[in-house]
Amino acid sequence: GSSNIAATGNLVVSGNVYAQNFVNTSDANLKDNVTPITNAGQVVDALNGVGYDWKDGSGHAYGMIAQAVEQILPEAVSTNAEGIKSVNYIMVIPFLIETVKELRQDIEAIKAQIQK
């Protein structure tokens, strides 16, 4: 059978977390001051994906450097009591979505020019 575990606060895991789904609360009823993202392309251009090796020997990975993300999207970075920074990658996704939409519009405009 299945059961639910409810927790309030932070869950800190050293190692991997495996799950079938990660679901983020995103209900409009919980949000104020909803505004469109207008600088998505600039934000995406300023972010850098990198490959790296974990110093603890746990392997190679890909992601971003939190200190660099903090300069561009400070809301997406948190710092714990020891000063270690973490990135909320979910917060980057809306910028990727808006950038893809901009690129698709640009491609359609270029296609229309070519067809003339």
Side-chain angles (χ1 to χ4, degrees), residues 19-73:
Q20 283 185 316
N21 293 297
F22 285 96
V23 180
N24 292 73
T25 303
S26 191
D27 193 293
N29 294 308
L30 302 174
K31 300 175 182 183
D32 283 328
N33 304 317
V34 176
T35 57
I37 294 171
T38 56
N39 61 338
Q42 292 170 307
V43 170
V44 171
D45 286 346
L47 295 172
N48 292 301
V50 297
Y52 52 89
D53 295 321
W54 288 109
K55 287 185 177 182
D56 68 3
S58 61
H60 193 76
Y62 300 94
M64 295 184 288
I65 302 300
Q67 287 83 348
V69 175
E70 191 172 37
Q71 299 301 309
I72 311 305
L73 286 177

Side-chain angles (χ1 to χ4, degrees), residues 4-113:
N4 293 322
I5 298 172
T8 302
N10 298 322
L11 172 65
V12 179
V13 177
S14 181
N16 296 325
V17 175
Y18 296 91
Q20 283 185 316
N21 293 297
F22 285 96
V23 180
N24 292 73
T25 303
S26 191
D27 193 293
N29 294 308
L30 302 174
K31 300 175 182 183
D32 283 328
N33 304 317
V34 176
T35 57
I37 294 171
T38 56
N39 61 338
Q42 292 170 307
V43 170
V44 171
D45 286 346
L47 295 172
N48 292 301
V50 297
Y52 52 89
D53 295 321
W54 288 109
K55 287 185 177 182
D56 68 3
S58 61
H60 193 76
Y62 300 94
M64 295 184 288
I65 302 300
Q67 287 83 348
V69 175
E70 191 172 37
Q71 299 301 309
I72 311 305
L73 286 177
E75 302 89 345
V77 176
S78 57
T79 308
N80 71 11
E82 291 79 36
I84 301 296
K85 297 184 181 293
S86 298
V87 175
N88 180 339
Y89 285 89
I90 301 298
M91 290 182 86
V92 177
I93 293 172
F95 292 89
L96 300 175
I97 290 169
E98 293 305 312
T99 299
V100 168
K101 287 163 50 178
E102 289 173 14
L103 292 172
R104 288 175 52 82
Q105 290 172 355
D106 290 348
I107 289 168
E108 289 305 314
I110 292 168
K111 282 181 176 177
Q113 286 294 328

